Amino acid sequence: MRCGKNCYRMRKKIHSYLGFARKSGKLMTGYNACVSGMERGRVRLLLLAGDLSDSTGESCRRAAKDCNVAVRTWGTKEELSLAVGMDNRGVFGIADAGLARAIREEIDKEVCS
């Protein structure tokens, strides 16, 4: 499926939101950091790359469910890592409620389209 103009804008928005979260110190990356953040009540949204291994994805979803944290699967490890300026990351925790809501809404818009 080709990504049209709206899809391109939405991807840019999500990349920007992730960049804002990183620069403001409200982004956690990696399995251990995100699970720890969820357990401490800091993570508002858990974002998983679509090409994450099944076992890691399931472990993350289980931890998020236990901590009552919203989870979305979107993009690839390469794409998301590039958006935040890191290498080979597939698990992202967003700690800012406003950014988490904005990212969740953008992803949900794409899914509903």
Side-chain angles (χ1 to χ4, degrees), residues 56-74:
T56 302
E58 188 55 39
S59 295
C60 289
R61 284 184 195 84
R62 194 174 320 110
K65 184 178 179 185
D66 291 345
C67 297
N68 206 21
V69 173
V71 180
R72 295 295 185 275
T73 301
W74 186 83

Side-chain angles (χ1 to χ4, degrees), residues 6 9-11 13-14 17 74 100-111:
N6 288 336
R9 280 191 210 124
M10 186 267 314
R11 285 187 179 283
K13 278 185 177 181
I14 292 174
Y17 293 145
W74 186 83
R101 181 182 34 77
I103 292 169
R104 199 171 47 243
E105 288 173 359
E106 286 297 322
I107 291 171
D108 291 348
K109 260 195 255 182
E110 179 185 77
V111 171

Side-chain angles (χ1 to χ4, degrees), residues 18 21-47 84 86 89-96:
L18 289 171
R22 180 166 186 227
K23 287 177 182 164
S24 65
K26 300 290 184 176
L27 179 72
M28 295 168 217
T29 62
Y31 175 82
N32 292 329
C34 289
V35 169
S36 177
M38 286 189 292
E39 289 170 348
R40 292 181 178 149
R42 293 186 179 146
V43 175
R44 302 288 181 247
L45 172 67
L46 186 67
L47 182 59
V84 298
M86 297 181 162
R89 304 295 169 115
V91 181
F92 301 84
I94 292 85
D96 181 86

